[in-house]
Amino acid sequence: MPICHLFFLLFVSHLTLSSSLDCNAADRRALLNVKSELGNPPELSEWLPATNCCTWSNLYSKTDTGRITGIYFFFLNVSTTIPHSLGDLSELEVMQLQNTPGLYGTIPSSFSKLTKLDTLFLTNNSLYGPIPDFLSRTNLTGLDLSDNKFSGPIPLSLTKLPNLRFLELSRNSFSGTIPPGLLHGTTRFLFLSHNKLTGEIPKDFGNGDIDTIDLSHNRLTGDASFLFGITKPMTRIDLSWNQLEFDLTRVVFPHHLEYLDLSHNKIKGKVPKSLQDIQLSFLNLSYNELCGEIPNRRFMVYHNADSYIHNKCLCGAPLPPCASSPIFISHT
């Protein structure tokens, strides 16, 4: 199951899809307005004024209060902007609007009223514009805006979300540098791949409880070796397709690391012997400036030539053998 789905389930496990208690009247009015703003799609045909909205599809509610706490839309056949009336659901904690290419425009300002909003997934739509500063007024723990057309810098306002530990902004057009202090709390996940980000990786990413970091397919520069260390909790690191430049020779990798992609950079030095003790399911060091003999003990035997191709002068299995040192014969 994808990480984002596991993360989402953490926040809906305490909610229920229906309730015998009639829903809050203000929530019902807000939901009917949402339906109208979406153009009354057939997927919401059961959303009717004289019925209990706690039993409607695409919603989560609390059985003891009748308040709507979650809303999710997938693959809606609409062509419109995000409904402003969603901001009138004052108890909303979880919102998923996903896989709807006909959903366009910016994030509405009414979301600033959603002070209890914990999880916001707006993925694989046609949304654009910058990330608005007013999202800092929410209570976000997880934010996913991937696969859209968002642009501009990653705002400093996101660092003001004290509980944000899951951030997914991949496959947009974000530019500028990555602000430090984006994530907080334990078991953090950061996905910023396929954007236009520049500058160096913030040093604070080397601290704390980060499980996954994916900064691939950007224009990042500098030394990323501070991310690594045997006691770090990281399980997945992808820094591929950047312009990073550092010496890999003496880098020690996290013991629990499962996925490592440093390909398509300007990394120098040798393949470190510390990799022999890491049971990686995926390794890619190709298209760099590495040189020397590849360590060949323990877990290194599971990686094929594709993990190392197009480097400066790597040799040894699974690449061709290293050239033998010249033998000088003494004539006496």
Short mmCIF file of all heavy atoms in Angstrom, two decimals, residues 16-23 52-55 61-64 66:
data_model
loop_
_atom_site.label_atom_id
_atom_site.label_comp_id
_atom_site.label_asym_id
_atom_site.label_seq_id
_atom_site.Cartn_x
_atom_site.Cartn_y
_atom_site.Cartn_z
N THR A 16 -16.42 7.40 11.21
CA THR A 16 -17.35 6.42 10.68
C THR A 16 -18.02 6.98 9.44
O THR A 16 -18.14 8.20 9.27
CB THR A 16 -18.42 6.03 11.72
OG1 THR A 16 -19.28 5.05 11.13
CG2 THR A 16 -19.25 7.23 12.13
N LEU A 17 -18.43 6.10 8.54
CA LEU A 17 -19.02 6.52 7.29
C LEU A 17 -20.50 6.88 7.42
O LEU A 17 -21.07 7.48 6.52
CB LEU A 17 -18.87 5.41 6.24
CG LEU A 17 -17.44 5.16 5.75
CD1 LEU A 17 -17.41 3.92 4.86
CD2 LEU A 17 -16.92 6.36 4.99
N SER A 18 -21.12 6.54 8.49
CA SER A 18 -22.54 6.84 8.62
C SER A 18 -22.90 6.95 10.10
O SER A 18 -22.15 6.55 10.96
CB SER A 18 -23.40 5.76 7.96
OG SER A 18 -23.20 4.52 8.58
N SER A 19 -24.07 7.47 10.34
CA SER A 19 -24.51 7.65 11.72
C SER A 19 -26.03 7.66 11.77
O SER A 19 -26.69 8.15 10.85
CB SER A 19 -23.96 8.96 12.28
OG SER A 19 -24.54 9.26 13.53
N SER A 20 -26.59 7.13 12.84
CA SER A 20 -28.04 7.19 13.02
C SER A 20 -28.47 8.57 13.48
O SER A 20 -29.63 8.94 13.34
CB SER A 20 -28.49 6.12 14.02
OG SER A 20 -27.82 6.31 15.26
N LEU A 21 -27.54 9.34 14.05
CA LEU A 21 -27.83 10.68 14.51
C LEU A 21 -27.93 11.61 13.32
O LEU A 21 -27.08 11.57 12.42
CB LEU A 21 -26.73 11.16 15.46
CG LEU A 21 -26.90 12.54 16.10
CD1 LEU A 21 -28.07 12.49 17.08
CD2 LEU A 21 -25.63 12.94 16.82
N ASP A 22 -28.96 12.46 13.28
CA ASP A 22 -29.10 13.39 12.17
C ASP A 22 -27.94 14.38 12.18
O ASP A 22 -27.47 14.80 13.24
CB ASP A 22 -30.42 14.15 12.28
CG ASP A 22 -30.77 14.86 10.99
OD1 ASP A 22 -30.11 14.59 9.97
OD2 ASP A 22 -31.70 15.68 10.99
N CYS A 23 -27.51 14.75 10.99
CA CYS A 23 -26.34 15.61 10.90
C CYS A 23 -26.67 17.05 11.27
O CYS A 23 -27.84 17.46 11.30
CB CYS A 23 -25.75 15.55 9.49
SG CYS A 23 -26.78 16.32 8.23
N ASN A 52 -30.67 12.58 6.04
CA ASN A 52 -29.59 12.72 7.02
C ASN A 52 -28.24 12.71 6.30
O ASN A 52 -27.84 11.69 5.74
CB ASN A 52 -29.67 11.55 8.01
CG ASN A 52 -28.59 11.61 9.08
OD1 ASN A 52 -27.79 12.54 9.11
ND2 ASN A 52 -28.57 10.61 9.94
N CYS A 53 -27.52 13.82 6.33
CA CYS A 53 -26.27 13.90 5.56
C CYS A 53 -25.18 13.01 6.15
O CYS A 53 -24.18 12.74 5.48
CB CYS A 53 -25.80 15.35 5.45
SG CYS A 53 -25.30 16.14 6.99
N CYS A 54 -25.37 12.53 7.37
CA CYS A 54 -24.40 11.58 7.93
C CYS A 54 -24.43 10.25 7.20
O CYS A 54 -23.50 9.44 7.33
CB CYS A 54 -24.65 11.36 9.41
SG CYS A 54 -24.24 12.77 10.45
N THR A 55 -25.48 9.98 6.43
CA THR A 55 -25.57 8.74 5.66
C THR A 55 -25.20 8.94 4.21
O THR A 55 -25.21 7.98 3.43
CB THR A 55 -27.01 8.17 5.74
OG1 THR A 55 -27.92 9.07 5.07
CG2 THR A 55 -27.44 7.99 7.19
N SER A 61 -18.35 11.09 9.36
CA SER A 61 -19.01 11.85 10.41
C SER A 61 -18.75 11.20 11.76
O SER A 61 -18.36 10.04 11.84
CB SER A 61 -20.52 11.94 10.17
OG SER A 61 -21.10 10.65 10.20
N LYS A 62 -18.99 11.96 12.81
CA LYS A 62 -18.84 11.44 14.17
C LYS A 62 -20.21 11.05 14.70
O LYS A 62 -21.17 11.82 14.64
CB LYS A 62 -18.20 12.48 15.08
CG LYS A 62 -16.71 12.65 14.83
CD LYS A 62 -16.06 13.53 15.89
CE LYS A 62 -14.54 13.58 15.68
NZ LYS A 62 -13.88 14.46 16.68
N THR A 63 -20.30 9.83 15.21
CA THR A 63 -21.58 9.29 15.64
C THR A 63 -22.16 10.04 16.83
O THR A 63 -23.38 10.07 17.01
CB THR A 63 -21.43 7.81 15.99
OG1 THR A 63 -20.42 7.67 16.99
CG2 THR A 63 -21.02 7.01 14.77
N ASP A 64 -21.31 10.63 17.66
CA ASP A 64 -21.82 11.25 18.88
C ASP A 64 -22.26 12.69 18.68
O ASP A 64 -23.00 13.24 19.51
CB ASP A 64 -20.77 11.18 19.99
CG ASP A 64 -19.46 11.82 19.58
OD1 ASP A 64 -19.22 11.99 18.37
OD2 ASP A 64 -18.65 12.14 20.48
N GLY A 66 -22.86 14.08 15.14
CA GLY A 66 -23.50 14.32 13.85
C GLY A 66 -22.78 15.35 13.00
O GLY A 66 -23.34 15.83 12.02
#
